[in-house]
Amino acid sequence: MNTFWKKILILFGVMVVMSGLVVFRYVQSMEPDEPEVDRVVRETKSYIAKHFKQAEVSGVFYDATGKYSEFDYACN
C-alpha cells in the first residue's frame, strides 16, 4: 500500500475517534450529577417542611444549556 494512502487512513481514523470523543463528552455534559441532585432535593425538602404545609418535590430540573444564570439545579 502506498504511503500516501496509509497517512490518509490514519488521518481518517484519528478524525473518527476524535469525533466520537466529542459526541461522548457532549452527551455526558447533558446528564446531571447524582450527588448534586440528591443535595438539592434534600435541601428543598427541609425548606418546604419549614415554610409550606402542603407542598412536595416532584422532580429536579438541570440547566445543562446555561439558559438560566440564577441556578444550575432547581426542584419543581
Side-chain angles (χ1 to χ4, degrees):
M1 184 182 258
N2 193 355
T3 317
F4 173 75
W5 289 110
K6 285 182 183 179
K7 289 180 181 179
I8 293 294
L9 284 175
I10 290 172
L11 180 63
F12 180 73
V14 168
M15 287 174 39
V16 167
V17 169
M18 293 302 288
S19 298
L21 287 174
V22 167
V23 169
F24 175 75
R25 291 288 297 155
Y26 176 75
V27 170
Q28 291 290 25
S29 71
M30 290 294 156
E31 295 292 322
D33 296 332
E34 288 302 320
E36 192 70 19
V37 169
D38 294 338
R39 182 188 66 81
V40 168
V41 169
R42 188 175 58 250
E43 289 178 4
T44 302
K45 283 184 179 180
S46 67
Y47 180 83
I48 286 175
K50 289 179 187 176
H51 295 90
F52 301 101
K53 294 186 190 281
Q54 294 181 353
E56 61 184 41
V57 176
S58 63
V60 175
F61 172 71
Y62 173 57
D63 181 28
T65 60
K67 182 177 179 182
Y68 301 101
S69 61
E70 294 85 18
F71 61 88
D72 288 330
Y73 294 87
C75 287
N76 53 353

